């Protein structure tokens, strides 16, 4: 077998303060794995554990790419035109404009390399499409993104994001997490409503049978497990955060995602562009 097992005696509970991973939980599987990655004994790290602990641990043990202000959680979400990256999805609740500028650059490189989208469209999540919309953070970030060497298309409103307004959505972690949870919730609602509709009577069950292939494809497109996990962008080596309720399919796709993260040299490209 090519698999090596490493003993990790401690358990990092989901309710534990994330900063504890640097201290008392140093022998948890997450801490041990991140230290092994930092030491060069692995190419990538994948976890479905505490998001906060993974962010703290990756920053403390693996370190950020030199010049990157903050690492960001970047989930891949379904849209009408395929998928989009949301960056930041909740790692940094308070952001500075230059952080959002870096999020746009890192997200653009990832989508270009992993999803093979030429010149990804980068949008700034905002309350209106006009350049004058938003608070101080959005106004300053808009100007920085406009000056960046990326395909910045301007502000995007939340309602347009699932419709394929752009390939990379840049947001502070607070707004990003609200978008993330809203899209997930709406997807779950749509699937539930379709089930209720098609199983309402014998006639609708027959209709469901006729549309079985299309319904299966629709469910697959709305399923987060198909996209793997959320990369921690800005960390010096590939780290992937899988969903806490990941099934075997989610882990399979997250492992595939980690493999591509390494092979397509995303981090090298980020370093070159920074």
């Amino acid at each position: 077998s090519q698999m090596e097992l490493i003993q990790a005696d401690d358990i990092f509970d989901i309710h534990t303060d994330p900063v504890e991973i640097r201290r008392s939980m140093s022998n948890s599987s997450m801490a041990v794995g991140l230290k092994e990655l930092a030491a060069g004994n692995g190419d990538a790290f994948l976890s479905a554990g505490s998001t906060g602990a993974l962010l703290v641990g990756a920053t403390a043990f693996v370190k950020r790419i030199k010049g990157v202000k903050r690492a960001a959680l970047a989930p891949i979400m379904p849209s009408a035109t395929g998928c989009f990256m949301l960056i930041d999805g909740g790692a940094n609740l308070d952001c500075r404009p230059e952080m959002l500028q870096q999020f746009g650059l890192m997200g653009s490189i990832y989508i270009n390399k992993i999803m093979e989208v030429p010149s990804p469209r980068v949008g700034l999540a905002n309350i209106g499409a006009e350049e004058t919309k938003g608070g101080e953070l959005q106004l300053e970030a808009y100007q920085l993104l406009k000056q960046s060497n990326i395909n910045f298309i301007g502000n995007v409103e939340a309602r347009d994001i699932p419709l394929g307004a752009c390939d990379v959505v840049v947001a502070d972690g607070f707004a990003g997490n609200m978008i993330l949870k809203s899209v997930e919730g709406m997807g779950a609602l749509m699937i539930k409503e379709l089930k209720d509709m098609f199983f309402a009577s014998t006639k609708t069950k027959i209709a469901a049978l006729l549309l079985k292939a299309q319904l299966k494809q629709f469910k697959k497109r709305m399923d987060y497990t198909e996209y793997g996990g959320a990369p921690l962008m800005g960390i010096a080596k590939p780290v992937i955060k899988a969903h806490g309720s990941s099934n075997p399919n989610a882990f399979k796709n997250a492992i595939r995602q980690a493999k591509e993260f390494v092979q397509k040299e995303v981090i090298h490209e980020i370093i070159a562009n920074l």
Side-chain angles (χ1 to χ4, degrees):
S1 172
Q2 296 182 29
M3 184 178 291
E4 179 187 353
L5 299 180
I6 302 170
Q7 183 69 18
D9 296 312
D10 294 339
I11 296 173
F12 195 93
D13 188 86
I14 196 74
H15 302 294
T16 305
D17 186 344
V19 299
E20 288 297 317
I21 196 167
R22 296 184 302 193
R23 298 194 288 266
S24 59
M25 302 300 173
S26 59
N27 285 317
S28 64
S29 58
M30 186 184 290
V32 170
L34 288 169
K35 288 174 183 177
E36 289 291 318
L37 178 67
N41 298 326
D43 296 310
F45 183 78
L46 165 65
S47 174
S50 163
T51 303
L54 185 63
L55 180 70
V56 171
T59 303
F61 303 136
V62 188
K63 310 298 184 186
R64 292 192 299 268
I65 295 168
K66 188 177 180 181
V68 169
K69 306 291 184 185
R70 292 284 178 84
L73 186 71
I76 310 296
M77 308 291 292
S79 75
T81 55
C83 64
F84 67 92
M85 171 178 271
L86 177 61
I87 182 170
D88 180 13
N92 304 282
L93 302 186
D94 296 306
C95 291
R96 300 188 302 277
E98 58 269 25
M99 289 164 60
L100 297 191
Q101 180 189 29
Q102 289 188 343
F103 294 167
L105 171 68
M106 293 191 293
S108 178
I109 290 169
Y110 186 93
I111 291 296
N112 173 249
K113 287 278 191 179
I114 303 296
M115 300 300 177
E116 298 181 346
V117 176
S119 190
R121 298 162 300 150
V122 179
L124 176 64
N126 210 331
I127 56 171
E130 299 86 357
E131 188 173 340
T132 53
K133 290 286 186 178
E136 187 178 334
L137 173 64
Q138 287 75 27
L139 291 170
E140 290 184 28
Y142 187 104
Q143 296 305 319
L144 291 177
L145 287 163
K146 191 165 74 170
Q147 295 162 19
S148 302
N149 188 27
I150 57 175
N151 182 19
F152 179 57
I153 63 164
N155 293 322
V156 291
E157 294 186 70
R159 66 184 174 197
D160 297 320
I161 292 169
L163 300 176
C166 56
D167 305 301
V168 179
V169 176
V170 175
D172 62 272
F174 188 90
N177 195 260
M178 297 288 280
I179 294 168
L180 169 64
K181 300 293 172 58
S182 297
V183 172
E184 282 184 341
M186 187 56 68
L189 172 65
M190 288 173 66
I191 290 171
K192 180 187 176 298
E193 289 295 314
L194 279 172
K195 276 186 178 178
D196 292 346
M197 187 190 306
F198 281 114
F199 286 89
S201 67
T202 303
K203 284 183 178 180
T204 55
K205 285 177 183 177
I206 293 169
L209 193 63
L210 293 171
L211 291 170
K212 186 178 179 180
Q214 288 86 348
L215 289 171
K216 189 175 180 181
Q217 184 62 31
F218 172 77
K219 187 177 180 182
K220 186 175 181 180
R221 283 198 59 202
M222 298 299 292
D223 188 357
Y224 69 86
T225 68
E226 293 297 321
Y227 299 98
L232 289 190
M233 302 303 297
I235 297 298
K237 293 189 177 183
V239 176
I240 305 282
K241 169 63 177 77
H243 203 289
S245 56
S246 291
N247 57 23
N249 187 57
F251 272 112
K252 179 198 77 174
N253 285 312
I255 292 168
R256 171 189 51 76
Q257 182 184 18
K259 179 171 174 277
E260 291 182 354
F261 202 152
V262 174
Q263 290 180 332
K264 295 185 178 180
E265 299 183 324
V266 174
I267 292 171
H268 176 78
E269 190 76 16
I270 290 171
I271 292 168
N273 279 273
L274 280 173

